Amino acid sequence: MGEHLPNQVLLIKTAWGGKSLYKDFRPPSSGGEVGPYYKKMITDVQEALANLKKDFPSYDGKGYQLAGFVWYQGWNDGVNAKTAVPEYESNLANLIRDVRKDLNAPNLPVVIGELTGPWVKAPGEWDTLRKAQAAVAQKPEFQGNTIFVETHDFVRKPEDSPNPGHGHHEFGNAETYFLVGDALGKGMLKLLASKNADKTPAKKSVRSEEHTSELQ
C-alpha cells in the first residue's frame, strides 16, 4: 500500500486468534449481545487515530482518511456448522454496515478475504461459509465498495509446510501467508482505483455515428 499511494499509510491491525463472527465479533445490527471483540476493534481503531502524533512521530499532521477495511476470518464460525455458518452471510453484511457507521465512514472500501484453511476445495460447511463470504460482496448495496478476494489457490501441501498438523493455520506455510496478504492488498488497491475513477470529472464526448452527445 505504501508503494502505491503517495501519502502516508498506517495499517491498524486488530486481530485476536480463535474468535467467531457469530459471537466474539457479533455486530450490533445482528441483535443479541454485541460481541466484545467487535467493541474492542472499534475502540482500538478510534484510540489509534486519536494518538497518531504520539504513537507515530513521523506523522505529518495533515489529517487522515479511513481508506479501507480488510476482513479475513472464518475458522471459528466454520466449526459451528449448525448455528454460526447459517448466519455468517447476514452477520458479515451487518458487520460491514456497523463498522462504517461506528467509524463514521459510510463509503469505507471493504475487502473480504476468503477463508483459506487447509483446502483448495473446501468440503461441506466450509464451502458453504466461503460461498457466504462471496455472496456478501455481491449484494447490490456493496457493489463498487466491497470486494471478495479468493485465496484457496494459495494453499500448499502439508508435507511442504513446517506445521503439517495445523490445517487451521494453513500448515504455517509462509508462502501461503505472503500470497494471501499480497492478494488482499491488491484487492484494496483495485477498490481504491475504482473509487478514485468515480470521482473523475465527467467529460462530454460525441458519438458521430449516432449524432448524440453523452457523459462519460
Side-chain angles (χ1 to χ4, degrees), residues 143-210:
Q143 293 301 295
N145 57 59
T146 301
I147 192 172
F148 172 73
V149 174
E150 295 182 350
T151 69
H152 58 265
D153 284 342
F154 305 140
V155 177
R156 297 297 179 256
K157 296 179 180 179
E159 58 267 30
D160 296 330
S161 306
N163 295 310
H166 285 208
H168 55 299
H169 288 157
E170 294 78 34
F171 310 119
N173 193 293
E175 182 181 19
T176 298
Y177 297 157
F178 175 86
L179 293 173
V180 169
D182 185 61
L184 298 179
K186 288 177 178 176
M188 183 59 71
L189 289 173
K190 183 177 180 179
L191 271 184
L192 294 179
S194 176
K195 181 179 179 181
N196 290 333
D198 290 340
K199 293 181 179 179
T200 302
K203 61 180 181 179
K204 290 185 177 180
S205 66
V206 177
R207 294 168 56 182
S208 58
E209 69 276 15
E210 296 180 4

Side-chain angles (χ1 to χ4, degrees), residues 7-100:
N7 47 312
Q8 292 182 310
V9 176
L10 173 65
L11 302 181
I12 304 175
K13 181 180 179 182
T14 58
W16 303 271
K19 301 294 181 287
S20 70
L21 177 57
Y22 176 77
K23 182 177 180 180
D24 301 303
F25 279 96
R26 190 172 188 84
S29 295
S30 289
E33 183 180 356
V34 178
Y37 285 88
Y38 175 87
K39 292 186 285 188
K40 182 169 174 55
M41 173 178 66
I42 297 298
T43 298
D44 282 5
V45 172
Q46 292 172 334
E47 289 181 351
L49 295 175
N51 294 288
L52 289 175
K53 193 60 181 178
K54 174 184 175 183
D55 295 336
F56 307 98
S58 62
Y59 170 53
D60 60 18
K62 295 182 179 180
Y64 64 83
Q65 175 189 11
L66 287 173
F69 177 79
V70 176
W71 182 257
Y72 180 58
Q73 177 274 348
W75 184 273
N76 279 72
D77 289 89
V79 298
N80 189 347
K82 292 184 178 181
T83 54
V85 172
E87 278 194 27
Y88 196 90
E89 182 178 338
S90 61
N91 284 335
L92 182 53
N94 285 335
L95 179 86
I96 294 172
R97 299 182 190 110
D98 289 342
V99 164
R100 286 172 171 170

